[in-house]
Amino acid sequence: MSSPESSPYKATEAAEHTETRKTEWPLWEIFIRGQHGLSHRHVGSLHAADAEMAIKNARDVYTRRNEGVSIWAVEASAIAASSPEEKGALYEPANDKVYRHPTFFDIPDEVGAM
Amino acid sequence: MYAQMIKSTGQGVKSLDEMEPQERAFQERIDAGGKIEPKDWMPDGYRKNLIRQIGQHAHSEIVGQLPEGNWITRAPTLERKAILLAKVQDEAGHGLYLYCAAETLGVTRDDLTRDLLSGKMKYSSIFNYPTLTWADMGAVGWLVDGAAIMNQVPLQRTSYGPYARAMVRICKEESFHQRQGFDIMMKMAKGTDAQRKMAQDALNRFWGPALMMFGPSDAESVHSAQSMAWKIKMNSNDELRQKFVDQTAPQAEYLGLTIPDETCKLNEETGHYDFAQPDWDEFFDVLKGNGPCNTERLEARNKAWDDGRWVREGLLAHAAKKRSAKMAAE
Ligand SMILES: [Fe+2]
Ligand SMILES: [Fe+2]
Ligand SMILES: [Fe+2]
């Protein structure tokens, strides 16, 4: 995910403007489905006052060259994301099930393609 | 480049042994060609540096619309006008992709915009030069976008995921920009005497400022060494400048135009073009705010921000009203 929950970052030259945040248009994450029948894919984010405007802006920002046939706009604050620190524990159940991969099984050559 | 003179920690690059385990894991991941993503741990200096660099790059795309926007209403044909309009719109898009990448680091677009408007953050020196004739539209696309491409192509491999992905999108669009510029130059260089003169004049004025885009030599800079270790800078300034000259000099020759530098010649021994350094005093002066258009550019951005205020606030109020009407109906 690109940018859910942009928590104010203090220690930079660009950050003491707390009063800005109140008047700023909310952040939307944009997902686009391309021409060839694939799923919607995250392309980036943008600011818009409401959903309708988010979709219009997404058309201008992310599909100037026919990149998509369908747009989803999701308010960034509505996205739940896994955290990188949990990576080990979160994926551990999958790691020890090597038999889920077809290459785990040896099929004799004479059986043919499988 | 679009981001010039970015300062890092200034402390020199730490070796892996000097690092705490967390930072060592971070650096090893970068060394192995891995990507750092928004929620991953990162050193404060890396975050700070990236905010400056991506922010300055974004500002350059936005301010960079002004010198070209200047000619939209006066383009010589309807086709040229439509092309220029599309090009300038792309630059707005580039600014937005980059603000979006910067926002993943914890600043907001409005934070960055305020620092641009107050003069606290910079944009590329190149956009403080005026565009005086239609041939300048050719020179800007050919030279300025051409120089930008030199820097942006390697940045597609930068270590910060959102920045790298923004660069991929940008690079896809840049070659249209450079080609439309070169196309204008071809038309003019092969046109009437007056047109050829205009094209030569544009090259004369933009050559030095285009070389300055890469920034002064940073072979000795600790800031650059750190940025390179973090893979947020991929090549030295001199390396990219040389590449740019090597690519551009033969193109000028094709156009029948003369690069305003008598020393600019292919060096048989090195296989590269020799060339003279641009006027670095002028560069530092422009950075300080004394270029021909610094005041005009910042005024234009401030005016756009101030004039747009009622729109930003009005649409927000409208959205809130719609939301509460919808809630009342449910
Ligand atoms: Fe651009
Ligand atoms: Fe550009
Ligand atoms: Fe461009």
Side-chain angles (χ1 to χ4, degrees), chain B residues 86-103:
Chain B
K87 199 263 186 191
V88 173
Q89 192 194 12
D90 274 354
E91 302 300 2
H94 295 180
L96 293 179
Y97 307 156
L98 287 160
Y99 285 129
C100 147
E103 285 188 303

Side-chain angles (χ1 to χ4, degrees), chain A residues 2-3 7 9 11 13-14 17 19-21 23-25 27 45 47 49-50 52 61-62 64-65 84, chain B residues 38-40 44 47-48 52 90 97 100 103-104 106-108 110-111 114-115 120 173 176 312 322:
Chain A
S2 151
S3 43
S7 56
Y9 179 69
E13 57 189 0
H17 320 289
E19 107 286 1
T20 335
R21 290 170 194 275
T23 58
E24 195 162 10
W25 288 348
L27 187 67
S45 65
H47 289 273
D50 58 24
E52 208 182 308
V61 179
Y62 294 109
R64 286 193 301 282
R65 289 174 176 79
Chain B
K39 294 180 95 186
D40 293 335
D44 216 42
R47 183 188 298 273
K48 213 164 164 172
R52 284 204 195 122
D90 274 354
Y97 307 156
C100 147
E103 285 188 303
T104 65
V107 277
T108 76
D110 284 9
D111 288 337
R114 295 206 169 206
D115 282 348
K120 202 160 154 192
E173 303 179 340
F176 150 55
R312 292 193 301 276
K322 256 198 337 201

Side-chain angles (χ1 to χ4, degrees), chain B residues 2 57 60-61 64 68 87 91 94 127 140 144-145 148 152 170 174 177 213:
Chain B
Y2 278 15
H57 193 158
S60 299
E61 302 284 355
E68 289 178 294
K87 199 263 186 191
E91 302 300 2
H94 295 180
F127 301 119
V140 167
V144 176
D145 289 85
Q152 288 170 339
I170 287 177
E174 285 294 358
H177 297 178
M213 286 175 70

Side-chain angles (χ1 to χ4, degrees), chain B residues 30-319:
Chain B
I30 290 177
D31 293 343
K35 293 276 181 251
I36 307 301
E37 295 296 339
K39 294 180 95 186
D40 293 335
W41 181 88
M42 60 187 86
D44 216 42
Y46 178 83
R47 183 188 298 273
K48 213 164 164 172
N49 234 25
L50 269 175
I51 290 173
R52 284 204 195 122
Q53 180 174 333
I54 302 173
Q56 201 184 111
H57 193 158
H59 296 332
S60 299
E61 302 284 355
I62 297 299
V63 177
Q65 293 178 97
L66 297 170
E68 289 178 294
N70 179 34
W71 279 92
I72 291 173
T73 56
R74 293 174 288 163
T77 68
L78 187 57
E79 189 188 52
R80 289 287 187 205
K81 181 175 180 158
I83 292 170
L84 185 58
L85 199 56
K87 199 263 186 191
V88 173
Q89 192 194 12
D90 274 354
E91 302 300 2
H94 295 180
L96 293 179
Y97 307 156
L98 287 160
Y99 285 129
C100 147
E103 285 188 303
T104 65
L105 292 159
V107 277
T108 76
R109 192 177 74 189
D110 284 9
D111 288 337
L112 294 167
T113 300
R114 295 206 169 206
D115 282 348
L116 167 68
L117 299 181
S118 73
K120 202 160 154 192
M121 285 183 87
K122 300 282 178 227
Y123 53 89
S124 175
S125 56
I126 189 74
F127 301 119
N128 290 312
Y129 291 87
T131 45
L132 303 176
T133 72
W134 173 251
D136 289 10
M137 294 304 95
V140 167
W142 174 37
L143 301 173
V144 176
D145 289 85
I149 290 170
M150 289 287 145
N151 175 55
Q152 288 170 339
V153 166
L155 277 176
Q156 293 179 100
R157 291 177 288 110
T158 185
S159 63
Y160 189 56
Y163 191 24
R165 293 190 283 273
M167 279 304 146
V168 171
R169 298 189 71 84
I170 287 177
C171 286
K172 272 193 196 147
E173 303 179 340
E174 285 294 358
S175 78
F176 150 55
H177 297 178
Q178 197 186 12
R179 281 164 173 239
Q180 65 85 36
F182 194 72
D183 192 59
I184 293 173
M185 289 311 263
M186 282 199 298
K187 252 272 156 36
M188 299 199 73
K190 314 252 182 252
T192 64
D193 225 32
Q195 283 176 308
R196 202 193 49 74
K197 264 195 199 133
M198 222 185 257
Q200 180 63 53
D201 171 63
L203 172 58
N204 291 350
R205 281 181 290 108
F206 277 96
W207 177 253
L211 294 184
M212 292 177 206
M213 286 175 70
F214 299 94
S217 177
D218 59 352
E220 318 271 271
S221 160
V222 282
H223 301 297
S224 293
Q226 179 61 76
S227 291
M228 285 173 108
W230 280 333
K231 291 197 188 158
I232 57 180
K233 181 179 172 70
M234 311 302 284
N235 308 85
S236 77
N237 295 347
D238 290 326
E239 218 179 310
L240 291 173
R241 189 172 10 252
Q242 181 68 58
K243 232 175 139 185
F244 172 73
V245 175
D246 287 346
Q247 183 190 284
T248 310
Q251 294 168 349
E253 199 175 316
Y254 174 86
L255 291 171
L257 299 178
T258 312
I259 287 174
D261 170 6
E262 292 142 33
T263 66
C264 188
K265 277 189 202 75
L266 184 65
N267 182 326
E268 300 287 348
E269 250 165 66
T270 61
H272 295 288
Y273 278 79
D274 292 335
F275 62 95
Q277 289 293 311
D279 181 350
W280 290 114
D281 292 337
E282 177 183 314
F283 171 78
F284 287 111
D285 211 36
V286 172
L287 276 202
K288 255 188 249 145
N290 303 324
C293 298
N294 294 56
T295 312
E296 192 184 323
R297 301 291 185 238
L298 263 195
E299 268 172 15
R301 290 316 306 155
N302 271 289
K303 184 174 184 318
W305 178 255
D306 294 341
D307 290 354
R309 185 185 183 127
W310 69 273
V311 180
R312 292 193 301 276
E313 289 174 359
L315 285 172
L316 210 52
H318 177 69

Side-chain angles (χ1 to χ4, degrees), chain A residues 75-86:
Chain A
E75 244 192 284
S77 59
I79 291 177
S82 64
S83 82
E85 295 89 72
E86 290 163 7

